[in-house]
mmCIF file of all heavy atoms in Angstrom:
data_model
loop_
_atom_site.group_PDB
_atom_site.id
_atom_site.type_symbol
_atom_site.label_atom_id
_atom_site.label_comp_id
_atom_site.label_asym_id
_atom_site.label_seq_id
_atom_site.Cartn_x
_atom_site.Cartn_y
_atom_site.Cartn_z
ATOM 1 N N ASP A 60 6.885 143.729 -12.726
ATOM 2 C CA ASP A 60 6.455 145.035 -13.222
ATOM 3 C C ASP A 60 5.140 144.902 -13.965
ATOM 4 O O ASP A 60 4.243 145.729 -13.839
ATOM 5 C CB ASP A 60 7.496 145.600 -14.210
ATOM 6 C CG ASP A 60 8.583 146.364 -13.466
ATOM 7 O OD1 ASP A 60 8.438 146.548 -12.237
ATOM 8 O OD2 ASP A 60 9.576 146.749 -14.114
ATOM 9 N N ILE A 61 5.063 143.842 -14.777
ATOM 10 C CA ILE A 61 3.873 143.687 -15.603
ATOM 11 C C ILE A 61 2.633 143.627 -14.735
ATOM 12 O O ILE A 61 1.667 144.369 -14.950
ATOM 13 C CB ILE A 61 3.989 142.414 -16.498
ATOM 14 C CG1 ILE A 61 5.072 142.620 -17.554
ATOM 15 C CG2 ILE A 61 2.651 142.103 -17.140
ATOM 16 C CD1 ILE A 61 5.180 141.483 -18.562
ATOM 17 N N GLU A 65 1.598 147.283 -15.119
ATOM 18 C CA GLU A 65 1.432 147.436 -16.564
ATOM 19 C C GLU A 65 0.190 146.790 -17.163
ATOM 20 O O GLU A 65 -0.054 146.919 -18.352
ATOM 21 C CB GLU A 65 2.687 146.869 -17.281
ATOM 22 C CG GLU A 65 3.965 147.622 -16.917
ATOM 23 C CD GLU A 65 5.227 147.017 -17.530
ATOM 24 O OE1 GLU A 65 5.128 146.002 -18.258
ATOM 25 O OE2 GLU A 65 6.309 147.554 -17.267
ATOM 26 N N ARG A 112 0.548 146.817 -22.705
ATOM 27 C CA ARG A 112 1.142 147.104 -21.387
ATOM 28 C C ARG A 112 1.041 148.593 -21.120
ATOM 29 O O ARG A 112 1.395 149.401 -21.979
ATOM 30 C CB ARG A 112 2.623 146.693 -21.344
ATOM 31 C CG ARG A 112 2.842 145.206 -21.536
ATOM 32 C CD ARG A 112 4.315 144.849 -21.388
ATOM 33 N NE ARG A 112 4.555 143.498 -21.882
ATOM 34 C CZ ARG A 112 5.748 142.915 -21.909
ATOM 35 N NH1 ARG A 112 6.806 143.559 -21.443
ATOM 36 N NH2 ARG A 112 5.889 141.687 -22.383
ATOM 37 N N GLU A 114 2.659 151.316 -20.066
ATOM 38 C CA GLU A 114 4.021 151.764 -19.792
ATOM 39 C C GLU A 114 4.154 153.213 -20.195
ATOM 40 O O GLU A 114 3.311 153.758 -20.910
ATOM 41 C CB GLU A 114 5.023 150.964 -20.635
ATOM 42 C CG GLU A 114 4.971 149.481 -20.394
ATOM 43 C CD GLU A 114 6.267 148.826 -20.810
ATOM 44 O OE1 GLU A 114 7.296 149.112 -20.176
ATOM 45 O OE2 GLU A 114 6.253 148.027 -21.767
ATOM 46 N N ARG A 120 8.821 151.841 -27.186
ATOM 47 C CA ARG A 120 8.040 151.381 -26.028
ATOM 48 C C ARG A 120 6.640 151.956 -26.142
ATOM 49 O O ARG A 120 6.435 153.157 -26.056
ATOM 50 C CB ARG A 120 8.712 151.830 -24.717
ATOM 51 C CG ARG A 120 8.125 151.154 -23.478
ATOM 52 C CD ARG A 120 8.859 151.531 -22.210
ATOM 53 N NE ARG A 120 10.235 151.081 -22.162
ATOM 54 C CZ ARG A 120 10.608 149.822 -21.947
ATOM 55 N NH1 ARG A 120 9.688 148.889 -21.740
ATOM 56 N NH2 ARG A 120 11.875 149.489 -21.935
ATOM 57 N N PHE A 124 1.731 147.111 -28.542
ATOM 58 C CA PHE A 124 2.853 146.792 -29.425
ATOM 59 C C PHE A 124 2.628 145.378 -29.927
ATOM 60 O O PHE A 124 1.610 144.760 -29.633
ATOM 61 C CB PHE A 124 4.184 146.940 -28.678
ATOM 62 C CG PHE A 124 4.356 145.996 -27.506
ATOM 63 C CD1 PHE A 124 5.138 144.861 -27.621
ATOM 64 C CD2 PHE A 124 3.704 146.246 -26.302
ATOM 65 C CE1 PHE A 124 5.283 143.977 -26.538
ATOM 66 C CE2 PHE A 124 3.854 145.378 -25.215
ATOM 67 C CZ PHE A 124 4.645 144.243 -25.344
ATOM 68 N N ASP A 208 16.924 142.933 -12.122
ATOM 69 C CA ASP A 208 16.356 143.376 -13.402
ATOM 70 C C ASP A 208 15.906 144.837 -13.335
ATOM 71 O O ASP A 208 15.375 145.375 -14.296
ATOM 72 C CB ASP A 208 15.145 142.481 -13.727
ATOM 73 C CG ASP A 208 14.811 142.491 -15.215
ATOM 74 O OD1 ASP A 208 15.698 142.776 -16.022
ATOM 75 O OD2 ASP A 208 13.655 142.210 -15.559
ATOM 76 N N LYS A 210 15.573 148.835 -13.417
ATOM 77 C CA LYS A 210 16.142 149.833 -14.327
ATOM 78 C C LYS A 210 16.524 151.105 -13.572
ATOM 79 O O LYS A 210 17.066 152.032 -14.146
ATOM 80 C CB LYS A 210 15.136 150.139 -15.441
ATOM 81 C CG LYS A 210 14.946 148.944 -16.368
ATOM 82 C CD LYS A 210 14.057 149.281 -17.561
ATOM 83 C CE LYS A 210 13.987 148.102 -18.523
ATOM 84 N NZ LYS A 210 13.008 147.066 -18.113
ATOM 85 N N ARG A 310 10.309 147.216 -32.686
ATOM 86 C CA ARG A 310 11.750 147.449 -32.524
ATOM 87 C C ARG A 310 12.521 146.843 -33.687
ATOM 88 O O ARG A 310 13.473 147.445 -34.196
ATOM 89 C CB ARG A 310 12.242 146.874 -31.187
ATOM 90 C CG ARG A 310 11.713 147.657 -30.002
ATOM 91 C CD ARG A 310 12.336 147.236 -28.683
ATOM 92 N NE ARG A 310 11.526 147.756 -27.576
ATOM 93 C CZ ARG A 310 11.757 147.515 -26.297
ATOM 94 N NH1 ARG A 310 12.782 146.756 -25.939
ATOM 95 N NH2 ARG A 310 10.979 148.026 -25.361
HETATM 96 MG MG1 LIG B 2 9.067 145.842 -19.776
#
Side-chain angles (χ1 to χ4, degrees):
D60 273 353
I61 291 185
E65 298 176 1
R112 297 184 193 179
E114 301 202 66
R120 192 176 295 285
F124 63 102
D208 202 24
K210 292 186 175 82
R310 291 188 195 176

